[in-house]
Amino acid sequence: MGLSRLAALHGVATSYSPSPDVTVSVPDDTVIAVLAALGVDAGTPADVRKCLAAAESRSRLLPPTVVVWAGEPLPPALAGLPPGSTVTVEPEPSDLPGHPAGRPPAPLSMRARAAAPAEPVASGEPVASGEPAPEAVPAPEAAPATGAAPAWWIPPPHGVHRVHVRTPDNRRATATLVAAPPRLPQPPEGTHGFLVQLYSLLSARSWGMGDLGDLADLAAWAGRSVGSGFVQVNPLHAAVPGKPTDPSPYRPSSRRFPDPVHLHVESIPEYGHVRDRAALDDLRQDAAALSEAVLNKGALIDRDAVWELKRQALELVAQVPLTPGRRADYCDFLAEQGQALEDHALWCALAEVHGPDWHTWPEALRAPRSPGTARARSELLDRVDFHCRLAWLTAGQLAAAQRAAEDAGMGVGIVHDLAVGVHPAGADTWSQQEAFAHGMSVGAPPDAFNARGQDWGLPPWRPDVLAATGYAAYRGLLRGLLAHAGALRIDHVMGLFRLWWVPEGRPPTDGTYVAYDAEAMLAVLVLEAHRAGTSVVGEDLGTVAPGVREALARRGVLGTSVLWFERDWEGDGRPLAPEEWRRDCLATATTHDLPSTAARLTGDHVTLRHRLGLLTRSLEEELTADLTDTAEWLALLARLRMLPEGDGDEEAAVRAVHRFLRRTPARMTGVWLPDTVGDRRPQNLPGTWDQYPNWRLPIADPEGHPVTLEEITASPRLHGLMEVLRLRKPHTAPPGERRP
């Protein structure tokens, strides 16, 4: 019981329920290992008793981070303060992104009291040494409405502030105060757009993989020619360098900064002023050969080869002096990004010298603030500047892609993707070591689809450190991603509530759930998205704990609904009729981890998994089950008169599937770009590593021949499908639902 109580105090589960009628106990060894990763020694019964006594004896006036939602009741941490307590809110600095310009607002000081007629609010203590005490602020004249904050409370502006409390008996506490609007901005009703893995989208000018120039071009064409409202891409986070580089965009070195491999080199203003034109011409010829091999010779996308060519070109570009205006813009970027960018660039420079795994670096360099690292920072100043410049150039092209989307009339624009975690050897885990639970990996517990569970090899954030630091790392991450986004997709959005931690060296079955402060995680998300004017889509597929979808919907986070999974699971299990779908979601036929629609309709995905030895039943059994599932959906489409061409027409069936999606009330409808040309190959096949070329395939036609961006946009099959998407006219959103 002592271990269970100690675990509960730190948000560590000692059991879980893979299904409503099943409860599984977590091994004690797992609980002890997870607590150790949280800085709690529970190795022996005596240790447990000692830590439990210490934890239960602590009495905090305030938790490390407190959340207040505009127009909603105060949290118990503030509403339950002893009457007569003085509460002073120290507003955040006004130079932060999204904060109104001008003089910072004065500190707000107020006195908590029991229910009583409104009276002037007493002033509190100075918010910092040497500052004058804030002036008294009168309380509201009228009593609050039912469910609103008490009369003594003066709502602070939206932001991340500091709150100071002093009780009548002179106890004091300070905490981070996140003041958030109640809901996220919402996208226009009934908008449709494309989903694409950017590397797979090669144009005639690409250097062996799709780039940000191709993304801007796709957005400009899609908005103007087929009325699309968005383009959703895979995570563009910085990858861990090396040969071979991990090709997965969902296991990056850093989620905070983008990868310069996505740069369209010729669009950089300094490119035209490079003196060594012969060297550039040679690199362009090599790049053309890479693209030719991918598009016409069956080669896979080779990210390492692409980066080697681009790196050489960028080295030449970096030799061109910046104009005064460009230099000023670069300096502003450096000032805005601050220490986070400097650390990231230093990691990149050190990785060039010592390799991509910082755990193997010389001992003096393994901490970002060590004296040895400070010396290296000085010695590698030119390389640090080079990597800072690459981040600036990439941010500029991300901004250009969003401008291209907006100029083309898109109501949303570019939807960026946030991976659930980072590589254990990458830049983020080096620069933010205290924030990660080392020796732990994020994954998923065993379920009906995977009896062995999953280990994704991603170290989780420590919830206690996040709270203690006012979620600074999380805020910086979101601010960077949202700067040039029309919306943000969050992979495994359930991770805002809890994550499955797997101790190093143990199977995923020996993991457990660790809880996060979902109220704080959501408040920071809503605040940062509100400042950026962006919507948020959560990937909430798979096992979702009770109440999670409702909590997300309350704050305006859209869900993800994939056609093949939308069944009446609590009833007869049949496909849901379109009107029974939820409204606040992105509705799609597939995702990057699932078969394309053509492969699903033909059963090709089953035969592929059979060839790779991934089936758990015989091929005949799997094909029969798959055919039955598909037939049910096709029968529903026929009953709804969405398949007038009848059976046997694959293109017509793909159109019918998307006709169905447009009949649902979903706010957003996503079209997997490979579906528009009949591609049968998945971009990622979960459960495989070297057995299948995950994350390295270009978009292809039904025969597997790669097609370029130019060929995709000219495809009669695409235009026939998009006519279906354009039939539903976007609904006019109520006031306040469109992006600011």
Side-chain angles (χ1 to χ4, degrees):
M1 287 296 294
L3 182 61
S4 296
R5 292 208 314 273
L6 184 62
L9 287 173
H10 292 87
V12 179
T14 54
S15 65
Y16 67 97
S17 298
S19 60
D21 56 343
V22 176
T23 299
V24 178
S25 295
V26 175
D28 285 353
D29 286 351
T30 295
V31 176
I32 292 170
V34 170
L35 285 171
L38 292 170
V40 180
D41 184 1
T44 68
D47 293 329
V48 171
R49 289 192 296 271
K50 179 180 178 182
C51 290
L52 189 58
E56 292 179 338
S57 67
R58 284 194 296 267
S59 177
R60 299 182 61 109
L61 268 178
L62 295 176
T65 296
V66 180
V67 170
V68 293
W69 299 96
E72 297 185 13
L74 284 186
L78 291 175
L81 289 172
S85 298
T86 299
V87 181
T88 302
V89 175
E90 179 185 352
E92 70 179 346
S94 60
D95 57 351
L96 291 178
H99 195 288
R103 183 177 180 271
L108 302 175
S109 187
M110 58 208 87
R111 188 183 297 278
R113 58 185 183 278
E119 59 185 50
V121 177
S123 60
E125 293 292 317
V127 298
S129 177
E131 294 183 4
E135 297 179 1
V137 183
E141 294 182 1
T146 302
W152 61 266
W153 175 252
I154 302 173
H158 298 155
V160 181
H161 316 296
R162 296 294 287 171
V163 59
H164 308 271
V165 170
R166 187 182 66 180
T167 65
D169 59 358
N170 212 34
R171 288 181 295 152
R172 298 171 183 262
T174 297
T176 299
L177 179 69
V178 181
R183 278 177 62 83
L184 287 157
Q186 297 295 287
E189 288 268 10
T191 187
H192 66 79
F194 292 110
L195 319 177
V196 62
Q197 298 283 293
L198 181 56
Y199 59 83
S200 71
L201 181 68
L202 281 74
S203 69
R205 65 182 186 177
S206 300
W207 285 37
M209 62 182 279
D211 58 40
L212 291 171
D214 298 322
L215 177 60
D217 206 40
L218 174 65
W221 168 83
R224 288 183 168 89
S225 299
V226 294
S228 294
F230 66 90
V231 175
Q232 177 182 301
V233 295
N234 55 284
L236 304 182
H237 309 320
V240 176
K243 293 186 179 180
T245 299
D246 187 338
S248 173
Y250 291 92
R251 202 163 181 251
S253 169
S254 173
R255 297 188 293 173
R256 174 65 182 82
F257 295 100
D259 198 310
V261 76
H262 300 110
L263 282 168
H264 180 241
V265 179
E266 293 95 325
S267 294
I268 300 171
E270 289 73 37
Y271 178 88
H273 300 281
V274 171
R275 292 185 176 181
D276 193 346
R277 305 308 299 179
L280 278 185
D281 289 343
D282 289 344
L283 291 171
R284 290 180 62 182
Q285 289 179 15
D286 291 343
L290 278 181
S291 288
E292 172 69 14
V294 171
L295 293 171
N296 297 312
K297 297 181 180 179
L300 298 175
I301 292 171
D302 188 341
R303 183 191 183 105
D304 295 329
V306 173
W307 173 238
E308 180 58 27
L309 295 178
K310 288 192 176 182
R311 183 193 60 76
Q312 294 180 52
L314 292 166
E315 298 274 8
L316 295 171
V317 169
Q319 296 174 16
V320 178
L322 297 175
T323 64
R326 293 272 289 166
R327 169 62 63 180
D329 186 64
Y330 179 43
C331 290
D332 284 350
F333 179 79
L334 293 175
E336 180 180 318
Q337 302 302 318
Q339 187 71 55
L341 175 59
E342 187 176 336
D343 286 345
H344 174 72
L346 177 58
W347 182 92
C348 293
L350 288 168
E352 292 176 336
V353 178
H354 301 288
D357 185 350
W358 61 268
H359 300 91
T360 66
W361 292 356
E363 185 72 31
L365 301 177
R366 294 180 193 172
R369 303 290 172 260
S370 71
T373 301
R375 287 192 297 272
R377 195 183 302 266
S378 177
E379 294 165 358
L380 297 172
L381 191 59
D382 288 345
R383 297 307 298 171
V384 171
D385 181 69
F386 176 68
H387 290 288
C388 285
R389 186 178 294 202
L390 295 187
W392 170 61
L393 294 173
T394 311
Q397 292 196 4
L398 288 170
Q402 177 62 13
R403 285 196 302 272
E406 293 173 345
D407 291 346
M410 286 190 166
V412 177
I414 308 302
V415 182
H416 286 282
D417 199 351
L418 173 60
V420 70
V422 294
H423 196 286
D428 282 2
T429 59
W430 177 76
S431 62
Q432 303 169 12
Q433 292 178 38
E434 69 288 345
F436 287 92
H438 300 282
M440 294 289 145
S441 177
V442 173
D447 56 28
F449 300 99
N450 192 330
R452 293 173 294 182
Q454 301 175 55
D455 183 344
W456 302 332
L458 309 169
W461 265 336
R462 285 181 53 166
D464 56 329
V465 174
L466 285 178
T469 56
Y471 295 83
Y474 179 47
R475 287 187 278 127
L477 167 62
L478 290 174
R479 194 166 294 160
L481 283 172
L482 294 170
H484 309 301
L488 179 67
R489 174 191 181 270
I490 300 181
D491 192 44
H492 192 70
V493 72
M494 297 82 77
L496 300 181
F497 296 76
R498 66 179 187 178
L499 284 171
W500 184 257
W501 287 24
V502 182
E504 186 176 359
R506 299 171 188 254
T509 50
D510 285 355
T512 190
Y513 280 113
V514 176
Y516 291 75
D517 185 344
E519 194 81 350
M521 298 289 278
L522 281 172
V524 172
L525 173 64
V526 171
L527 173 65
E528 294 298 339
H530 176 81
R531 286 172 159 173
T534 56
S535 307
V536 176
V537 177
E539 185 269 299
D540 57 350
L541 304 174
T543 302
V544 182
V548 167
R549 286 196 175 103
E550 292 77 8
L552 292 169
R554 181 184 179 194
R555 299 304 172 195
V557 179
L558 305 185
T560 300
S561 294
V562 178
L563 181 129
W564 311 101
F565 302 152
E566 290 299 306
R567 290 175 171 270
D568 181 11
W569 297 113
E570 297 181 359
D572 58 14
R574 295 187 179 277
L576 285 181
E579 63 273 11
E580 296 175 313
W581 284 43
R582 54 181 168 172
R583 171 173 173 263
D584 293 329
C585 74
L586 166 64
T588 71
T590 190
T591 73
H592 58 267
D593 283 333
L594 296 172
S596 70
T597 305
R600 174 78 69 170
L601 292 168
T602 59
D604 282 7
H605 68 109
V606 177
T607 56
L608 171 62
R609 291 169 57 228
H610 172 67
R611 289 199 305 272
L612 297 175
L614 299 176
L615 298 184
T616 57
R617 297 180 291 180
S618 70
L619 176 60
E620 182 179 356
E621 288 176 303
E622 291 280 356
L623 283 172
T624 299
D626 187 69
L627 177 62
T628 300
D629 181 85
T630 303
E632 278 194 284
W633 279 102
L634 291 176
L636 175 59
L637 296 176
R639 287 197 302 273
L640 295 174
R641 299 182 180 180
M642 295 182 180
L643 189 55
E645 298 87 350
D647 295 337
D649 187 331
E650 176 194 307
E651 285 190 46
V654 173
R655 290 195 297 272
V657 163
H658 289 86
R659 192 175 285 122
F660 179 96
L661 293 176
R662 290 298 273 171
R663 182 80 65 87
T664 73
R667 279 186 174 274
M668 301 173 72
T669 304
V671 180
W672 179 235
L673 190 61
D675 273 349
T676 66
V677 290
D679 197 345
R680 282 164 164 67
R681 306 178 303 178
Q683 282 295 315
N684 179 50
L685 191 58
T688 63
W689 176 244
D690 56 0
Q691 307 100 311
Y692 186 80
N694 296 319
W695 318 112
R696 290 173 287 171
L697 293 172
I699 298 174
D701 65 17
E703 287 71 42
H705 298 142
V707 289
T708 63
L709 170 61
E710 293 83 0
E711 292 168 331
I712 293 170
T713 57
S715 166
R717 180 166 178 157
L718 176 145
H719 285 277
L721 177 58
M722 296 314 294
E723 282 302 313
V724 170
L725 272 293
R726 297 180 72 171
L727 289 177
R728 175 182 169 188
K729 296 185 181 299
H731 172 72
T732 301
E737 288 202 350
R738 293 186 181 275
R739 295 173 57 229

